[in-house]
Amino acid sequence: MTRAYLLLADGTVFEGISIGARGTSIGETVFNTGMTGYQETLTDASYYGQIVTQTYPLVGNYGVNDEDEESSRSWVRGYIVRENCAAPSNFRSNGTLDAFLKKQGVVGLCGIDTRHLTRLLREHGVMNGAITDDLADKDALLAKINKYTITGAVEAVTVEQAFTDGPEDGLRVALFDYGYKYNILRSLVSRGCRVTVYPASTAPDTVLAAHPDGIMLSNGPGDPSACATQIENLRGLFESGIPIFGICLGHQLMALSQGGRTEKLKYGHRGANHPVKDLAHGRTYITSQNHGYAVVDGSIGAEKGAVSHVNLNDGTVEGVRYKNAPVFTVQFHPEASPGPRDSAYLFDEFISLMKERNLQHA
């Protein structure tokens, strides 16, 4: 066993055991409250630039497989668990978490008090840190940790070229890839959609020239206010009259394009157990979430849109329905993976919007 450490920006040190790849990796330290879904978490591009801590104490007990990945690779800067299961048991398993981390080049740490770490992050907010097997020059490493920022996140994770999936005769959906999870694409294709996935900075004219029936805005990493190109592009798409459905970062970018503001949360929402109330239906759903920013309540003018969903833990905005355009967005993940599928009905609403528009233009 190789000793390894988590060094936080405030100088706090946690000593544990190295798992995954060896070396030193710096990132923004966050926590995820999910009890399962660690493979989906590791391959969710929204975690780009972050060191992820699992609050659930035993991770890796059902192994890894070839079906639960949500992107082509892992994007995390590091991974921390209390106890790593070295002997998983599940009929779908074809490997261990440790082997997966090594293959993906992810530096990991186990054997630390993750409850203590989570309380620190809750009290002081997310902070930069580094997982390392070498603390010989702690001061130099601390300087690097404190200088670290997540930049160019969306451009780093988006596809390089557009591609299409789904039935030839399906509703045509343009999916902007800001760091999309595979299950967004699967959720649309399973409902009969013909989906073209576009790079994040694709010009509106390129997309509109393909005459899509609807536009999907995906999740993704980083500070939404840094995505100037994407925000400007959404202004033009909003005016097109084409139904638009945004998730997570897509939700934030649409709000910014319509005059709203976003703010960084103290420690974010990451996990599969977040209660959200749909104000129109009067129902509460348990949702999967992964974000560090939120749309500021009241920042979108009442003449432009209204809050449609709220987080019942802290009252933050979880959804917006826009006026004078068939556009709606949510902060949480209705595609789940991991997490409950309670809010998958939103994909059906998106399908209905596209069909209604087609009937009006028939």
Side-chain angles (χ1 to χ4, degrees):
M1 294 187 298
T2 301
R3 305 305 296 178
Y5 311 89
L6 170 67
L7 174 61
L8 294 176
D10 65 356
T12 302
V13 176
F14 290 83
E15 180 178 342
I17 299 168
S18 173
I19 57 173
R22 300 292 186 265
T24 298
S25 185
I26 298 172
E28 181 184 57
T29 311
V30 301
F31 63 87
N32 180 297
T33 58
M35 297 173 65
T36 59
Y38 49 83
Q39 189 174 353
E40 292 93 332
T41 294
L42 284 164
T43 53
D44 182 348
S46 294
Y47 285 107
Y48 176 88
Q50 297 180 329
I51 295 173
V52 179
T53 304
Q54 296 285 171
T55 62
Y56 191 69
L58 177 62
V59 181
N61 52 312
Y62 57 84
V64 297
N65 58 67
D66 297 327
E67 300 172 7
D68 289 348
E69 296 182 4
E70 284 299 314
S71 71
S72 61
R73 50 163 285 194
S74 178
W75 299 96
V76 303
R77 295 285 295 176
Y79 197 58
I80 301 173
V81 299
R82 174 67 182 90
E83 181 179 349
N84 169 51
C85 179
S89 176
N90 187 277
F91 72 99
R92 299 171 68 229
S93 174
N94 60 12
T96 66
L97 173 62
D98 183 49
F100 181 82
L101 294 175
K102 285 184 170 68
K103 181 180 178 181
Q104 295 288 330
V106 174
V107 176
L109 178 67
C110 74
I112 73 165
D113 186 346
T114 52
R115 185 177 182 181
H116 181 201
L117 173 58
T118 300
R119 291 183 68 176
L120 281 178
L121 298 178
R122 282 180 59 91
E123 291 169 5
H124 302 291
V126 297
M127 68 177 85
N128 290 347
I131 299 176
T132 183
D133 54 11
D134 182 8
L135 277 181
D137 197 343
K138 179 180 174 182
D139 291 340
L141 182 54
L142 266 175
K144 292 179 181 178
I145 290 170
N146 280 287
K147 288 181 180 178
Y148 178 80
T149 57
I150 299 174
T151 59
V154 169
E155 295 301 334
V157 302
T158 191
V159 294
E160 294 183 1
Q161 295 182 328
F163 69 91
T164 301
D165 190 14
E168 290 283 352
D169 59 350
L171 288 165
R172 300 181 303 280
V173 176
L175 168 57
F176 276 87
D177 173 24
Y178 304 135
Y180 87 104
K181 287 166 60 182
Y182 284 168
N183 207 41
I184 293 178
L185 176 60
R186 288 192 293 260
S187 296
L188 292 168
V189 171
S190 68
R191 289 169 170 80
C193 295
R194 176 76 168 172
V195 183
T196 299
V197 180
Y198 289 96
S201 297
T202 302
D205 289 348
T206 300
V207 174
L208 296 177
H211 304 291
D213 297 304
I215 298 171
M216 185 89 216
L217 312 177
S218 84
N219 62 293
D223 182 349
S225 65
C227 301
T229 299
Q230 288 76 29
I231 294 168
E232 181 59 32
N233 288 347
L234 288 180
R235 293 191 179 102
L237 293 172
F238 184 91
E239 300 296 334
S240 70
I242 297 172
I244 300 176
F245 177 20
I247 292 174
C248 197
L249 181 61
H251 157 78
Q252 297 163 4
L253 296 179
M254 179 56 75
L256 290 170
S257 78
Q258 298 304 303
R261 302 194 315 277
T262 56
E263 62 183 351
K264 188 168 185 177
L265 300 174
K266 187 175 181 180
Y267 46 81
H269 301 150
R270 299 175 180 89
N273 51 3
H274 294 263
V276 169
K277 185 172 183 177
D278 182 327
L279 300 180
H281 295 168
R283 296 186 61 182
T284 297
Y285 300 91
I286 301 303
T287 67
S288 178
Q289 301 205 13
N290 173 18
H291 62 101
Y293 292 81
V295 174
V296 176
D297 191 12
S299 65
I300 299 173
E303 75 284 358
K304 289 189 175 181
V307 173
S308 60
H309 297 73
V310 295
N311 187 299
L312 293 185
N313 284 333
D314 60 12
T316 52
V317 175
E318 290 280 357
V320 175
R321 290 188 183 273
Y322 290 88
K323 300 176 181 178
N324 305 316
V327 178
F328 69 102
T329 64
V330 293
Q331 181 63 78
F332 52 93
H333 289 267
E335 81 283 359
S337 290
R341 300 177 181 177
D342 300 25
S343 54
Y345 69 92
L346 292 166
F347 283 98
D348 298 324
E349 289 191 14
F350 182 47
I351 300 296
S352 295
L353 272 180
M354 290 188 285
K355 289 181 177 179
E356 288 172 10
R357 181 176 183 273
N358 287 349
L359 285 174
Q360 293 170 0
H361 290 77

